[in-house]
Amino acid sequence: MSHPSPDSTSQSSWSLVIHGGSGQFERGRISAETDAGARAGLDRALAAGSDVLSAGGSAIDAVQAAILVLEDDPHFNAGHGSVYTYEGKIELDAAVMDGTHRAAGAIARAHHTKNPILLARKVMEDSPHVMLSGEGADRFSAESGLTQVENDYFGTPERLRQLEEMKAKTSGWFDIDMKYGTVGAVARDAHGHVAAGTSTGGLTGKRYGRIGDSPLIGAGTYADDRSCAVSATGAGEFFIRVGVAHEICTRIRMKAEARAEFLAHEAERSGAALDEAARTRLLATALSADEVQEIVDAVMAEMVDLGGTGGIIYLTPWGHQGYAFRTPGMYRGMASSDGARSVAIYGDE
């Protein structure tokens, strides 16, 4: 399913898109209680991020605010409510990226940080590194003063049941249905800066220290003020092989810059004198919402052709926003400065 939204180039506007995972989300397969709980969680996350943006806050702060809500909600596979590894433990991955300077931070296989997205941001802002993992990430978290919890805080009886169900089937390496997905957010602030963040417990029954695409900059998370912000969910191995998040951003940037350069050349040929502001306006309007969505869909199709499945959310510095998913459903939501706000689960919404 693909849903572009109208573009906006106003530098005073802001927008926010979130997801809570994609998978076999179909009417009749999800209980009314779970449906309502997930929608309420998405709405709270939108409210938290929107509050930051409407007050003039930064895109990266809005992304963090939205993801914190989702990490604390057991309906989603991140923070409290994360899925179990095959050995019955919980290992947490997260990443953030600020499109302003392409600063990024990520953690993989963390075990005790109550909100992994805060640890990813600490790595970005308070360390010389981009990615920390395992015991090192845990030590850095504790030394940074982040709230620490016992590993069993993240689990729930339902997640344990899902692990036992998966083991009983013995049909593969892990939960190939990917029913319990990652969370993420992308935001564009009133200054036109974009940011992205992703957080996950991974796949039910993952083994051998498996790490998916979520904490890998360029695979499941990417943000660049020159093009786009992306957060992904789904079959991480395939998102990694395609480099989905970076590939989308690169194709958008290259097409927008080429189009803007062509338009500038044509204008100068006709005698117009273009200053830097005029060139910036050309870049901001170079691509339509449909053209951006076509790029997103093309990269997703490449991932699917390799055998993958999942979804992404995106938005550009110029106001295009939307999502694409290749599963029956995806927990998702959008909000913007024009007052529009929505949440959805199924493919027909």
Side-chain angles (χ1 to χ4, degrees):
M1 296 294 172
S2 305
H3 297 267
S5 66
D7 57 331
S8 168
T9 56
S10 169
Q11 289 299 301
S12 63
S13 65
W14 56 261
S15 52
L16 174 68
V17 188
I18 64 172
H19 72 79
S22 69
Q24 303 302 315
F25 303 144
E26 299 174 290
R27 297 182 191 279
R29 295 189 65 172
I30 296 179
S31 70
E33 181 180 4
T34 298
D35 181 303
R39 290 178 191 272
L42 291 168
D43 196 61
R44 287 193 300 272
L46 282 177
S50 296
D51 285 348
V52 172
L53 294 168
S54 63
S58 68
I60 192 71
D61 284 344
V63 163
Q64 176 179 295
I67 292 178
L68 282 172
V69 172
L70 298 174
E71 285 182 338
D72 289 342
D73 190 324
H75 287 95
F76 306 101
N77 174 22
H80 179 53
S82 290
V83 299
Y84 286 89
T85 67
Y86 193 86
E87 293 78 17
K89 297 182 179 180
I90 292 175
E91 298 178 342
L92 305 159
D93 303 336
V96 292
M97 188 164 185
D98 189 334
T100 310
H101 303 294
R102 282 174 283 165
I107 53 99
R109 302 187 63 223
H111 303 91
H112 299 292
T113 304
K114 180 176 182 289
N115 290 107
I117 201 66
L118 296 182
L119 179 51
R121 186 162 182 184
K122 279 287 185 182
V123 173
M124 180 179 76
E125 295 181 341
D126 297 339
S127 87
H129 308 300
V130 170
M131 188 175 193
L132 301 180
S133 67
E135 293 180 359
D138 290 338
R139 288 199 303 273
F140 180 72
S141 176
E143 291 172 6
S144 297
L146 296 178
T147 301
Q148 306 294 296
V149 295
E150 294 299 320
N151 191 249
D152 59 9
Y153 158 80
F154 301 107
T156 66
E158 173 61 13
R159 294 307 194 206
L160 187 58
R161 184 200 65 77
Q162 291 162 4
L163 174 65
E164 293 168 347
E165 178 184 63
M166 194 250 7
K167 283 186 171 184
K169 290 181 179 179
T170 62
S171 58
W173 285 82
F174 41 66
D175 176 21
I176 58 174
D177 288 337
M178 259 122 355
K179 297 185 293 292
Y180 320 109
T182 298
V183 308
V186 292
R188 173 187 180 276
D189 62 33
H191 303 288
H193 299 305
V194 297
T198 314
S199 181
T200 188
L203 297 177
T204 299
K206 63 183 180 180
R207 300 192 194 187
Y208 308 117
R210 179 263 187 190
I211 299 169
D213 65 305
S214 298
L216 300 187
I217 302 303
T221 306
Y222 201 75
D224 184 348
D225 275 3
R226 301 173 301 172
S227 58
C228 196
V230 174
S231 175
T233 173
E237 282 69 15
F238 297 92
F239 281 84
I240 293 168
R241 289 163 60 188
V242 175
V244 166
H246 184 266
E247 185 73 9
I248 288 171
C249 292
T250 298
R251 293 190 193 187
I252 289 173
R253 178 170 62 86
M254 293 182 69
K255 187 166 185 175
E257 289 178 351
R259 177 77 58 77
E261 184 62 30
F262 171 78
L263 293 173
H265 179 69
E266 290 297 298
E268 289 169 347
R269 281 185 60 190
S270 66
L274 299 180
D275 58 15
E276 191 62 32
R279 288 180 174 273
T280 298
R281 286 194 296 271
L282 281 179
L283 183 61
T285 58
L287 299 183
S288 69
D290 286 340
E291 288 176 308
V292 171
Q293 187 72 45
E294 286 171 5
I295 291 171
V296 170
D297 289 341
V299 176
M300 289 293 287
E302 184 176 334
M303 183 271 298
V304 171
D305 285 345
L306 292 180
T309 185
I312 66 103
I313 54 174
Y314 71 87
L315 56 78
T316 72
W318 315 302
H320 314 89
Q321 66 183 50
Y323 44 82
F325 54 96
R326 299 297 181 268
T327 52
M330 181 167 75
Y331 292 133
R332 59 199 188 276
M334 291 184 182
S336 59
S337 53
D338 62 9
R341 185 156 146 184
S342 64
V343 298
I345 298 177
Y346 310 110
D348 58 2
E349 294 184 84

